[in-house]
């Protein structure tokens, strides 16, 4: 069950990478960070451990919120996929501290908290994501997954 959930989260997260990039399309950079490029190649090759290393380096070297947020969010996704849930939470927390309205980081941090068994923390992050982007189906799917997993309807409780 966790394995199939991970695959959905990875696919959704990697899809969000492109959505995030599109949402910041008005910003033009003439030089791409080489670590981001290497990380993307590693993801395509299926080497998520190496991808996490490159995204981590990129998070320390990129400048500007428009570039940093997608890097941190993707690092969170990759660390989650690697089973490094604490590292995933750390990356998403950095993204949230950079931009409190970055709903994707709340969603992904909630997924990592859920994987660690922190259901209340997960619900809190899912609800923040839902408040920031009420139209996203991803948050509703995450909350529905919690209901199925625990039998508790978090949407009604929180």
């Amino acid at each position: 069950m966790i394995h199939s959930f991970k695959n959905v989260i990875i696919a959704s997260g990697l899809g969000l990478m492109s959505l995030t990039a599109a949402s910041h399309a008005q910003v033009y950079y003439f030089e791409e960070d080489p670590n981001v490029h290497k990380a993307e190649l590693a993801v395509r090759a299926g080497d998520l451990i190496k991808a996490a290393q490159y995204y981590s380096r990129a998070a320390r070297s990129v400048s500007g919120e428009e570039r940093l947020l997608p890097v941190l969010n993707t690092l969170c996704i990759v660390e989650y996929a690697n089973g490094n849930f604490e590292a995933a939470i750390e990356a998403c927390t950095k993204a949230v501290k950079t931009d409190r309205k970055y709903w994707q980081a709340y969603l992904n941090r909630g997924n990592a908290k859920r994987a660690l068994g922190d259901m209340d923390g997960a619900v809190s992050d899912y609800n923040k994501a839902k408040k920031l982007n009420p139209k996203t189906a991803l948050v509703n799917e995450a909350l529905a997954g919690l209901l199925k997993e625990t039998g508790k309807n978090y949407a009604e409780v929180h």
Side-chain angles (χ1 to χ4, degrees), residues 119-124 127 143 146 152-158:
M119 300 308 180
D120 290 335
V123 169
S124 176
N127 284 331
L143 287 167
L146 277 177
K152 187 174 180 183
N153 190 345
Y154 288 98
E156 291 178 6
V157 174
H158 296 278

Side-chain angles (χ1 to χ4, degrees), residues 24 38 64 66:
H24 294 97
K38 289 175 185 177
E66 294 85 8

Side-chain angles (χ1 to χ4, degrees), residues 4-83:
S4 63
F5 179 70
K6 260 190 188 180
N7 291 338
V8 170
I9 297 303
I10 293 167
S12 300
L14 295 177
L16 283 175
M17 285 175 15
S18 58
L19 288 176
T20 302
S23 71
H24 294 97
Q26 72 280 6
V27 179
Y28 295 99
Y29 297 102
F30 295 105
E31 189 174 315
E32 180 182 354
D33 186 287
N35 289 307
V36 172
H37 179 71
K38 289 175 185 177
E40 290 170 353
L41 292 175
V43 168
R44 287 188 192 115
D47 189 348
L48 297 181
I49 292 172
K50 190 169 276 190
Q53 293 168 347
Y54 285 123
Y55 278 122
S56 184
R57 288 180 196 160
R60 291 189 300 269
S61 65
V62 297
S63 60
E65 186 177 300
E66 294 85 8
R67 294 176 86 179
L68 181 59
L69 288 171
V71 168
L72 288 171
N73 190 52
T74 307
L75 175 60
C76 177
I77 293 164
V78 171
E79 290 291 19
Y80 175 90
N82 285 330

